Amino acid sequence: MIKLVRTNSENKDFVRLVESLNNYLKIVDGDEHDFYNQYNNIDVLKHVVVAYKNEIPLACGAFKALDETTIEIKRMFTQIDARSNGMASKVLKELEKWSIELSYKTCVLETGKRQTEAVSFYKKMNYSIIPNYGQYKNITNSLCFKKVFK
């Protein structure tokens, strides 16, 4: 059974999962990793979800407010050997639910074009591609998404 825990960036399991994510992204992003990494400081994340199966942390995600109505999804990751079992969907849905409870209306996120699994996942989760925003505006490897909550 999958257990979802709402927490913050001080959660040790979240910190370990983010370390695994960063190691994965160093390979996928190559020379561009340092650019992306500067925007992924987890100290500022107050809304984190960690997914456990049999008490083992296998997936995570977080969000931060961009303004009064919009949040940005950050640090979504599922351990490679735990993928394709719906865990990422559960984490993302829990983040969306939490943000709606806090009265946010819109969600945005950025992922790399080379992260084809992530691109497919966000499309499956009803996120629409939007023009790149903020620091990703002129970054050709970035792909930005948006979802408006109903």
Side-chain angles (χ1 to χ4, degrees):
M1 174 153 179
I2 296 172
K3 177 175 86 171
L4 300 176
V5 174
R6 289 182 180 185
T7 185
N8 61 39
S9 62
E10 294 176 6
N11 180 290
K12 291 181 184 349
D13 293 329
F14 175 67
V15 171
R16 281 192 288 276
L17 285 165
V18 168
E19 287 172 3
S20 295
L21 168 62
N22 287 337
N23 290 335
Y24 170 77
L25 291 176
K26 279 180 193 172
I27 296 165
V28 175
D29 291 337
D31 293 340
E32 296 173 335
H33 179 72
D34 287 339
F35 167 78
Y36 290 109
N37 204 39
Q38 69 181 321
Y39 299 109
N40 290 319
N41 182 351
I42 64 171
D43 294 346
V44 299
L45 300 175
K46 295 180 176 81
H47 302 94
V48 170
V49 172
V50 178
Y52 296 84
K53 186 170 184 181
N54 300 324
E55 303 301 316
I56 299 168
L58 295 175
C60 65
F63 69 83
K64 70 176 187 177
L66 286 185
D67 59 39
E68 291 179 3
T69 62
T70 306
I71 57 125
E72 182 180 29
I73 297 291
K74 303 296 288 178
R75 313 317 282 158
M76 282 290 298
F77 180 69
T78 303
Q79 292 285 12
I80 293 170
D81 58 350
R83 293 182 180 175
S84 300
N85 66 9
M87 197 168 288
S89 298
K90 287 179 181 7
V91 169
L92 185 57
K93 286 178 185 175
E94 186 67 15
L95 290 168
E96 292 172 352
K97 179 181 171 189
W98 196 358
S99 64
I100 290 167
E101 290 169 10
L102 296 171
S103 301
Y104 291 100
K105 309 284 184 223
T106 307
C107 176
V108 296
L109 62 91
E110 181 277 341
T111 193
K113 290 180 181 177
R114 290 183 219 107
Q115 294 166 264
T116 55
E117 292 169 323
V119 171
S120 297
F121 170 70
Y122 293 121
K123 287 179 179 178
K124 180 183 93 172
M125 298 299 291
N126 298 313
Y127 281 73
S128 302
I129 295 174
I130 59 170
N132 288 4
Y133 62 88
Q135 64 267 26
Y136 308 112
K137 218 170 222 154
N138 297 313
I139 306 301
T140 56
N141 181 49
S142 287
L143 196 57
C144 293
F145 289 86
K146 178 179 183 177
K147 184 174 188 178
V148 177
F149 303 130
K150 297 178 181 176

